[in-house]
């Protein structure tokens, strides 16, 4: 294969989930529905938190940012896929593909940090309840979010800049419905060993460290709750953590499942289908998890819906 010069604008073909023309309308309808449900659910959470003064707490402040991040993540990938299906044009420019991959990395790592920060919030609230208002003050919460976003952006830009040092072949096809850094590296004709090492190192640091923080927080939370004398206090403490734990298992569980699948299965199409589990399912399910398992959120959503109905 010929090697393309970096100055040449390249077109990459996103092959999507299936090449069967008969399945394309079904895939289009399915992902359009998922996209609308995800946007609506996360918007409702953000509206509920902003409109209800009872939810002006650190936990819901972080939840608002998690919902916004989920909306942004799914908006990076799904609309482009829907346009490709509708126009029957699977091309995306190299710059567009790299930008999409960069934003996917930023959103994914930002989600890891937010889940870690939310675990820390629960740790302080349960283990140090008297010091909670002082330790988790609004200024500190904003700093935590800004630092999380900063490190996520640095990580995404680092991967993107490292990709620009590679040379690419003329036959550029990605058997996926969106661009990922790992998929772009497979298209390179030059040595990409450093890039692959960078992926593992940054994944361990930026995804692994928040996970260890979550494990540390909940180890101490369980230890503290078990020492509580009343069963009512234990139930109340665990109920405040249930929604967050469900989201953590959903996010990290699907991510780990996709990683294992990519190592076991050689079929790019099956790997693309499996990747839907971590890129599409968590953003869609998070609003349902918090709405079904959180009593305060249920009440706030009822108020938002009733106000909207009265306005109509």
């Amino acid at each position: 294969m010929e090697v393309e010069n970096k100055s040449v604008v390249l077109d990459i073909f996103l092959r999507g989930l299936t090449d069967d023309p008969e399945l394309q309308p079904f895939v289009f309808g399915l992902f359009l529905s998922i996209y609308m449900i995800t946007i609506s659910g996360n918007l409702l959470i953000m509206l509920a938190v902003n409109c209800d003064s009872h939810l002006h707490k650190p936990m819901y402040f972080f939840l608002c940012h998690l919902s916004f991040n989920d909306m942004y993540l799914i908006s990076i990938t799904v609309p482009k896929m829907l346009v490709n299906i509708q126009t029957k044009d699977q091309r995306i420019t190299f710059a567009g593909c790299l930008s999409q991959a960069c934003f996917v990395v930023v959103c994914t790592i930002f989600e890891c940090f937010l889940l870690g920060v939310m675990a820390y919030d629960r740790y302080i609230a349960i283990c140090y309840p008297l010091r909670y208002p002082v330790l988790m003050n609004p200024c500190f919460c904003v700093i935590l979010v800004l630092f999380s976003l900063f490190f996520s952006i640095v990580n995404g830009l680092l991967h993107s800049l490292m990709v620009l040092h590679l040379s690419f072949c003329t036959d550029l096809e990605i058997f996926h419905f969106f661009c990922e850094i790992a998929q772009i590296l497979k298209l390179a004709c030059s040595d990409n060993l450093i890039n692959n090492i960078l992926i593992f190192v940054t994944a361990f640091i930026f995804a692994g460290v928040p996970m260890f923080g979550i494990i540390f927080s909940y180890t101490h939370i369980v230890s503290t709750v078990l020492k509580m004398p009343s069963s009512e206090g234990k139930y109340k403490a665990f109920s405040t953590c249930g929604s967050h734990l469900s989201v953590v298992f959903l996010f990290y569980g699907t991510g780990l499942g996709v990683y294992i699948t990519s190592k076991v299965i050689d079929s790019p199409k099956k790997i693309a289908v499996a990747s839907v589990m971590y890129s599409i399912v968590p953003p869609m399910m998070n609003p349902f998890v918090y709405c079904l398992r959180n009593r305060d959120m249920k009440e706030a959503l009822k108020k938002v819906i009733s106000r909207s109905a009265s306005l109509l």
Side-chain angles (χ1 to χ4, degrees):
M1 291 185 182
E2 297 178 3
V3 179
E4 289 279 2
N5 190 290
K6 293 188 185 74
S7 62
V8 178
V9 178
L10 304 173
D11 279 339
I12 297 175
F13 288 85
L14 292 173
R15 292 305 182 189
L17 298 176
T18 178
D19 292 326
D20 189 348
E22 295 182 358
L23 287 177
Q24 294 292 354
F26 170 75
V27 173
F28 180 87
L30 176 64
F31 277 82
L32 179 61
S33 302
I34 290 173
Y35 181 70
M36 296 303 295
I37 291 170
T38 303
I39 296 296
S40 302
N42 285 289
L43 270 178
L44 276 175
I45 285 183
M46 294 175 67
L47 283 171
V49 172
N50 285 303
C51 293
D52 195 331
S53 59
H54 294 94
L55 299 184
H56 292 175
K57 302 174 183 177
M59 180 174 69
Y60 298 106
F61 173 75
F62 298 131
L63 177 59
C64 252
H65 287 84
L66 185 71
S67 294
F68 180 80
N69 186 67
D70 286 337
M71 286 195 302
Y72 196 76
L73 176 60
I74 199 169
S75 297
I76 294 166
T77 56
V78 173
K80 176 60 179 173
M81 175 193 181
L82 297 177
V83 170
N84 288 354
I85 293 174
Q86 193 68 18
T87 60
K88 297 181 173 59
D89 185 2
Q90 298 174 319
R91 290 177 300 173
I92 183 172
T93 63
F94 180 78
C97 186
L98 186 58
S99 300
Q100 188 182 61
C102 176
F103 283 117
V104 168
V105 171
V106 171
C107 290
T108 303
I109 298 302
F110 189 46
E111 183 127 355
C112 292
F113 276 116
L114 283 176
L115 292 175
V117 167
M118 292 171 80
Y120 176 73
D121 171 74
R122 292 298 84 207
Y123 163 69
I124 297 296
I126 294 172
C127 298
Y128 304 98
L130 297 179
R131 298 173 61 189
Y132 179 73
V134 177
L135 293 175
M136 298 302 294
N137 60 78
C139 182
F140 182 63
C141 292
V142 171
I143 290 172
L144 286 175
V145 171
L146 289 178
F147 267 97
S148 300
L149 183 59
F150 172 75
F151 285 116
S152 303
I153 293 173
V154 168
N155 183 45
L157 290 176
L158 180 62
H159 286 293
S160 301
L161 292 173
M162 290 298 293
V163 168
L164 293 177
H165 291 283
L166 300 174
S167 297
F168 293 86
C169 305
T170 53
D171 188 15
L172 300 177
E173 288 186 338
I174 292 179
F175 291 92
H176 213 316
F177 66 95
F178 67 93
C179 295
E180 286 182 313
I181 293 293
Q183 298 292 333
I184 295 175
L185 293 181
K186 292 179 181 179
L187 304 177
C189 291
S190 54
D191 185 22
N192 58 12
L193 177 61
I194 296 177
N195 297 74
N196 286 315
I197 293 174
L198 182 65
I199 288 176
F200 283 106
V201 172
T202 54
F204 177 78
I205 295 173
F206 294 115
V209 170
M211 183 179 68
F212 288 127
I214 291 169
I215 294 171
F216 171 83
S217 298
Y218 276 103
T219 301
H220 284 269
I221 287 171
V222 171
S223 176
T224 302
V225 171
L226 291 178
K227 293 177 184 177
M228 291 179 177
S230 66
S231 57
E232 184 180 349
K234 292 178 181 178
Y235 174 77
K236 186 177 180 180
F238 278 127
S239 65
T240 62
C241 302
S243 302
H244 177 256
L245 268 177
S246 301
V247 172
V248 168
F249 282 121
L250 183 64
F251 180 76
Y252 277 100
T254 52
L256 183 62
V258 172
Y259 176 78
I260 294 172
T261 302
S262 65
K263 297 300 178 183
V264 176
I265 299 175
D266 292 329
S267 172
K269 288 291 184 183
K270 291 181 180 178
I271 294 174
V273 173
S275 69
V276 172
M277 293 302 295
Y278 88 89
S279 60
I280 303 297
V281 174
M284 180 182 69
M285 293 303 298
N286 287 352
F288 291 100
V289 170
Y290 272 96
C291 293
L292 293 175
R293 298 184 63 89
N294 191 297
R295 185 184 302 172
D296 293 335
M297 186 58 67
K298 283 183 185 177
E299 295 299 323
L301 284 173
K302 287 179 182 177
K303 291 179 182 178
V304 170
I305 293 171
S306 62
R307 286 176 186 174
S308 301
S310 62
L311 290 174
L312 294 175

